[in-house]
Amino acid sequence: MKFIYLFPALFFACFNGLAQNVKSELPDPLTFNNGQKVKSIKEWPARRAEILEIMTTQMYGTSPGKPADIRFEVFDQDKKALGGKATRKQVTIHIKEKGKEASFDLLIYIPNKAIRPVPAIMGINFIGNQAVHADPGIKLTAAWVENSKMFPCGDAGKATEACRGVNAGQWDIDSILDNSYAFITMYREEIASDRKETMFQTGVHTLYPELQNREDNFSTMAAWAWALSRGMDYLETDKDIDAKRVAVFGFSRLGKAALWAGATDQRFAAVLSNESGAGGGKQFRRGIGENIKRLCTVFPHWYTKNLTKYIDKDTELPFDQHFVMALIAPRPVYLATAEGDTQADPRGEFETAKASDPVYKFLGTKGFNATAFPALNQPIYDQIGFHIRPGGHDVTNFDWAQFLKFSNLHFQK
Ligand code: GCU
């Protein structure tokens, strides 16, 4: 008789245990590592610190702090740039560390018509500052540039005149300025090499060799995010720009970097991430699209060495990208996706937005209220923004129109 009662109980216990091993729930940003729930907003900074530690050590790596020796050299100023529409400034950020020096340039356009100080949008570019606009006043980068089908302009790694404006189609600078934002950009290769052959050997990495020989090494993604923070250091000194209203933007790998910049530097008032996909906005745990194995083998420099521990474990990660969003919360963040960008799993970015809603609500914002995946070209403008548009991996004027509308909601009240 007793046995009959015991059997279902045992069966149930085993089944439960198994189920937990097979697929546990998405890790909860509102539960401390010790299993206790975060009960009040007062407790949030402590939990936020735990999340920051997890994401830093396991995925993005350790960055140096703000350098003691940082200097801004404004080497160009033209008040009548772009046919009088904008003031162009170019600034070299010089950083010295133990006798070594690294530097990279900011290109800045400030709309002449707007009331100063203006809010701003800052992002890293793929092919050099001179590529975002055909403006002949922009300095040609001295850093390595590719010569690819998309950017057929580098000559043995050197930028040529053909590199001017070669990427202008993805930067709707006119609309940014028309909406009264300053535009600021910097070049990925001036900051840190994005090639396996020279990874960690150029740019800001040369200043911190002691941060490489470790499992939570200073990755290239972390270096890009760190450089964006150094850009913010400069903006805080520029009276034409309101450093309290700066959105950090990025596309693809640089969208991954923008998210991490927003996560690690709370001075960024908003994050605009375009098709950042794997290691960006996409939820790994769905197991769809580009995975950790590909990220860690094709781009071994992007994330910290520790991330290789999770190869083939995407669906059972003890963290996921909603943790990065939790670090950005309660600040506005927009995840833009495209139908044809299947490797980036647009639905997986939507799931990240949904999984981030509880933290955003907990911190007193309206969060992300969509329950169904939206139709094409139907943007969602909650505290977390989202859209999926037709087409492939790209930044289009439609994307910019939504980023500007979203930014206006928060910055131009
Ligand atoms: C590759 C990579 C993506 C990345 C993209 C890009 O396609 O797999 O993760 O986002 O490059 O940066 O363009």
Side-chain angles (χ1 to χ4, degrees), residues 118-124 181-184 228 232 235 241-250 258 261-262 267-273 332-334 400 403-404 406-408 410-411:
V118 291
I121 296 178
M122 173 159 69
I124 305 179
Y181 291 90
F183 167 77
I184 301 119
L228 285 161
M232 176 57 104
L235 297 185
I241 289 163
D242 180 358
K244 297 242 174 327
R245 288 184 294 160
V246 178
V248 59
F249 162 83
R267 292 175 299 173
F268 289 113
V271 181
L272 309 170
S273 177
V333 50
Y334 197 107
W400 277 113
F403 292 142
L404 289 167
F406 183 73
S407 302
N408 289 347
H410 296 283
F411 289 170

Side-chain angles (χ1 to χ4, degrees), residues 343-354:
Q343 278 303 301
D345 186 19
R347 178 80 204 215
E349 296 218 24
F350 177 77
E351 293 302 331
T352 293
K354 267 176 63 173

Side-chain angles (χ1 to χ4, degrees), residues 189 193-202:
E189 285 283 340
S193 172
D194 194 11
R195 292 179 297 156
K196 266 192 210 175
E197 312 89 80
T198 44
M199 62 184 189
F200 311 134
Q201 290 165 37
T202 73

